[in-house]
Amino acid sequence: MILKSEIRWPFLLLLALCGSLQAQQACDWQQRVDYTMDVSMDVKTFRYSGKQELIYTNNSPDTLSRVFYHMYFNAFQPGSEMDRRLQAISDPDTRMVEGGKSRISALSPDQIGYLRALSLSQDGQPLVPQPEGTILVVPLARPLLPGQSTTLTMDFEGQVPLQIRRSGRNNSEDVALSMSQWYPKIAEYDYEGWHADPYIAREFYGVWGDFDVRLTIDKKYVVGGSGYLQNPQETGHGYQAPGTTVNPPKGPTLTWHFKAPDVHDFMWAADPEFLHDTLRVKDGPLLHFFYKNKPEILDNWKKLQPKTAEAMEFYSRNIGPYPYRQYSVVQGGDGGMEYAMSTLITGERKFSSLVGTMAHELAHSWFQHVLGTNESEHPWMDEGFTTFISNLCMNKLMDQQAQNPFENMYKGYYSLVQSGREQPQSTHSDRYEYNFAYGLSAYNKGGVFLAQLGYVIGSDQLMQTLRSYFNKYKFRHPTPNDFIRTAEKVSGMELGWYLNDWTRTTNTIDYGIVDVKEEGNNTRLTLKRIGLMPMPLDILVVYQDGHKATYYVPLRMMRGEKENPYFGVERTVLEDWPWAFPTYEISISGPTSEIQAIIVDPSHLMADVDRTNNEWQPSP
Ligand SMILES: [Zn+2]
């Protein structure tokens, strides 16, 4: 059967038994912040100090009497909320415990992380900030009226914690500095109000703006990360124009000047042993790679480079053009984490894992760093969408040609349902009782949200929805409702039920064949809706002579029909199935004796939690 989508799905999964089958509306306003920072890092003590000037513009219709900053490094102290949560949760992140004990609780004063405001003023008037764990509460000297800007100036000092989670010093692969969430970061204020979430486990949400960062560090260190380097002829280390001479200033340190426009985060990493390669994507951005000079990883990190270019082209083609001139893959952190124009990934992996991690984190450049969803509230929108598109990308990149590239994604969701520990996806990401339930919900169930939406509206319509969503909401903070409204406009269907049941409840899908009966020259098929969540149905009939037909049962509340997904197979569009009706009958042409198999959802894209009742075959 011919599938017309470029990325070739849905797949009509074949029955192994049948030999003959081989053949919410985002605000129209958003806040803005422009950061200018001058920071100095002591590579011996891992302490740093800096000055931050922040121009904050209140585009909201509200008068603000206070602002909040995230001081993330304060999480890495014994007794912090992150530490206490780590001790209380029954399935802690294995990276954060040692011998069954919280690694944070064991940090000595010179190993902890901290970030402190030494002074803070608003347009020259001193402010009195109140630290509350990882949040700095700042009453303003003068209320900030709608449409006004104010300049907030801060002197700050910090200590880089021993690497526990995401950022830190001396990670498990000896990368000296993985500097993410390292600076005083103003919290976002949107149509829901302030988002001054404490840093407990996950994840991030920030204000869009421009960053201008000057970073002074020991000359031997190679720095990579979010911004465009402004002074490559001074820094060298692989940034200088090919064939030119570098003119570093005298003295033991170098000042690196970076600018990152239209981002909501700024990451950097540094190590004296970093190798630095670059590769230009055809008609696209310049890719930078920073990795340790260790013989056992060099080959993988070289082979990773063209794969990164391929992935960049895949996402640009299928979601929308990557909007920056640069992207950096940096060895560091504790697994893989996405940042603006960059990622930190651990690098001592087998090749497929290295490419898989890169492909996942790079996809976040779209689903988080250009479409800036609130990761704390809707982690399925960045992790799930990323999982979906990176599965498709990996299928192409590694030439896997899996019959169903989403198989593991669905398996994970089914295991979540079977665990009995599922919480609705609308749960705040810190408020899951179990880490594993968060993971399966955000990544797997979030990915299934898209793949299954492709089943509902058609795969071409889904891919069109992604492109349209990207185009409309890039550099903004789209909400779940923004996404589903986009899908509604593209498909012409009503889809509120889909968003609601899937993301705000733990309702499951289960349809089953309850009866197959011969009726003259036809066959009467009786179907039952067993699960609470409604879905439209595709039913495949395979005849004894090998020919196939499909029957399509639209869901009434969907108020629309998808195109025939199976080219070359005759399709009969039936009457709508109203959700409240528990059963539905279909008259299939041909006597039962001529039928070899009947299959509800041959694509396996509908997340039916019990597929044992989806297939019928005549008893031998
Ligand atoms: Zn991710």
Side-chain angles (χ1 to χ4, degrees), residues 214 290 322:
R214 278 186 170 78
F290 300 88
Y322 179 75

Side-chain angles (χ1 to χ4, degrees), residues 25 33 68 114 196 288 319 594:
Q25 189 69 25
V33 64
F68 299 85
Y114 60 74
H288 293 256
I319 314 169
E594 286 180 9

Side-chain angles (χ1 to χ4, degrees), residues 103-288:
R103 287 179 60 212
I104 297 177
S105 70
L107 292 175
S108 63
D110 64 345
Q111 293 174 329
I112 62 166
Y114 60 74
L115 187 55
R116 298 170 187 148
L118 300 174
S119 71
L120 182 56
S121 63
Q122 178 191 9
D123 301 322
Q125 285 182 273
L127 301 175
V128 185
Q130 298 147 13
E132 293 182 359
T134 59
I135 295 295
L136 194 66
V137 183
V138 181
L140 294 175
R142 186 174 51 78
L144 188 59
L145 302 179
Q148 275 189 349
S149 292
T150 195
T151 301
L152 298 162
T153 307
M154 188 193 294
D155 289 308
F156 63 91
E157 62 173 16
Q159 178 169 286
V160 187
L162 208 61
Q163 174 101 30
I164 303 282
R165 186 74 184 94
R166 297 195 180 96
S167 47
R169 62 168 114 148
N170 302 331
N171 83 343
S172 62
E173 299 180 350
D174 306 319
V175 173
L177 287 161
S178 301
M179 297 294 287
S180 58
Q181 315 300 346
W182 57 278
Y183 58 94
K185 180 175 177 178
I186 196 148
E188 183 58 295
Y189 181 86
D190 65 14
Y191 72 108
E192 293 177 315
W194 283 104
H195 293 276
D197 290 328
Y199 188 27
I200 296 171
R202 55 182 83 92
E203 280 196 9
F204 308 104
Y205 187 44
V207 187
W208 285 104
D210 295 344
F211 283 70
D212 184 316
V213 180
R214 278 186 170 78
L215 174 65
T216 301
I217 189 168
D218 185 306
K219 235 176 198 166
K220 292 193 290 294
Y221 282 64
V222 186
V223 181
S226 290
Y228 304 127
L229 185 64
Q230 303 297 303
N231 56 338
Q233 296 309 118
E234 276 178 17
T235 64
H237 287 304
Y239 282 96
Q240 69 272 25
T244 60
T245 324
V246 177
N247 295 305
K250 292 199 184 339
T253 61
L254 260 182
T255 297
W256 301 66
H257 183 198
F258 291 101
K259 285 187 179 179
D262 291 321
V263 292
H264 55 73
D265 196 15
F266 189 97
M267 180 280 285
W268 61 277
D271 192 278
E273 291 166 5
F274 268 158
L275 298 177
H276 177 197
D277 295 335
T278 58
L279 176 70
R280 169 78 59 191
V281 180
K282 190 169 174 287
D283 304 321
L286 187 65
L287 304 176
H288 293 256

